[in-house]
Each structure stands twice: as structure tokens, then as C-alpha cells.
Amino acid sequence: MSVPFLRDTATVFSREVTPMFREPLGLLFTMGQPLLFLFLFGPLLGQTQSFAGQGSHWQWFVPGILIMMCLSGPMMAGYMLLVELIGGSMERMLVTPLDRTAMLVGRTLKEFVALLAQAVLIIALAVPLGFRLHPAGVLAGLVMLVVFGVGLGALSFVLAIASRPGGDLFYGVTQLVMFPLMLLSGVLLPMDSGPGWLQTAAALNPISYIVEAERSLFSGRFADTSVLYGTVAACAIAVIGLVTGTRAMRRGI
């Protein structure tokens, strides 16, 4: 990486992350739904037979909450880019000598910081509820979560660019596609108890493999095969997102 590229990336990152530090309560507002599920839905899972004899249900549920937060956070990152594209403020950045790839990387790094801060807070709040902390597994799980989140953030930028000028495509995909993907990943309830067609649909969902990998890591089971599958899925989404996002930034704007 060249020095100008790193400088441009730092410039874009500073521009994007400064409002977040000035208004840290914004991070909490975006966590409204995950916090509600954590405190209101999570305790109910302890009474279900699906978790009988499997240890604390929090080891199963907390990773699902983090994936849910990842889907509702970085995937919506393209909304701000779409607003700038529609409003014209992005055009002012494009006339500067900033590298367009650096624009993508800087914005993606901002999502990295926000996601990591929110994930740490969720884990800290879950510990008093009964979540058992496996430090090495949690650290590995956070790394995978960030890789997955970076890929989703980059894909959301691609979607925002493709949705110009009205933004209908962005709203349609985020509302009609992401929610079914979240449900089919098994973040809320085990998919094993569902009908065969539902299990087949879940098996075709790459996010479900990341969810299972996170659950294994957060329970300290590094040798579980789900970790391998989840790592491959998270890295694939990250690579696809960054490659397509870079091309969209260079050609689509």
C-alpha cells in the first residue's frame, strides 16, 4: 500500500467516525432491537426443551444476537452513502484527489469500529445474565464477526450506488431480502426443529454457517467443523464485498 492511499483512507475514516464519537448515544439507538431481544427474548429460551441438557442457552443466543446486530448495522451502512449520493455531497468529495478505493476502505473501517464497540457492549451485558466468557473463543468470534461485517458493509455500498437516484432498490433489498436471511440463519430459534424444506433453505444460507461457527467459538469449541465452514463463508463474503465495492466506487460513481 502506498503512503497516499493510507493517507486518503485515514482522511475518509476520520470524516466518517468523527460524528460517531461526537454522538456516542447513536450507537446505543442502533442497538435498540438487539438489546430488546437480549433482555426480553433471551430469558424465555431457557425454558424451552431445545436447550435442555445443553448448558446455558446464553452461549447459543448471544452469538445470534451479534449476527442480528451485524445484519442491521453494517448492511445499512450504505444508507448514508445513498443519502450523500442523492443530496450531492458525495460529488464534492469526488472532485478531490482522494483515491476512490480509499473512500470505500475508510467507510468500511468506520463500520468495523462501530460493530466492534457494539459487540463488546452486548457481551458485557450478557455476562451478568449467565453468559460464560471464554476469552480466546470470544476474541476469535469477534474477529470473524468483524470480517463478516466488513463484507456486508462493502456490499451495502455497492447496493447504494446501484440504487441511484431514487434508492428504491436499496430499500427493497434491505427490507425484503435481509430479514428472511436473518430468520433462515437460525439466530432466534434452532432450525433443527423446523420442517425439511425450512432446513434445506437454511442450509443454502451462508449466514447460517457463520452463526454456527460463532456459537462454537463462543463456547470454546475451536475444533468444531462449523468453525471452518463459518470462516470460509465470512471470508468469502468479505472478499466479494471488497472487490465489488472497489469496482463500484471506481466505475459506478
Side-chain angles (χ1 to χ4, degrees), residues 104-126:
L104 172 70
V105 176
R107 287 175 175 270
T108 304
L109 287 177
K110 179 259 183 179
E111 299 305 322
F112 163 86
V113 172
L115 178 61
L116 187 60
Q118 292 173 332
V120 171
L121 179 58
I122 287 289
I123 294 172
L125 293 174

Side-chain angles (χ1 to χ4, degrees), residues 58-98:
W58 292 109
Q59 306 300 128
W60 186 93
F61 189 57
V62 170
I65 288 291
L66 296 181
I67 295 296
M68 179 191 303
M69 185 176 62
C70 192
L71 289 171
S72 61
M75 191 56 199
M76 292 301 295
Y79 173 76
M80 294 307 300
L81 177 61
L82 183 60
V83 170
E84 292 183 8
L85 289 171
I86 295 175
S89 60
M90 191 65 184
E91 294 180 359
R92 292 192 290 271
M93 289 191 65
L94 294 176
V95 299
T96 67
L98 286 173

Side-chain angles (χ1 to χ4, degrees), residues 37 41 45 60-61 65 68 182-183 186-190 215:
F37 276 106
F41 188 78
L45 291 178
W60 186 93
F61 189 57
I65 288 291
M68 179 191 303
M182 181 182 71
L183 293 178
V187 296
L188 297 178
L189 292 171
R215 286 169 176 157

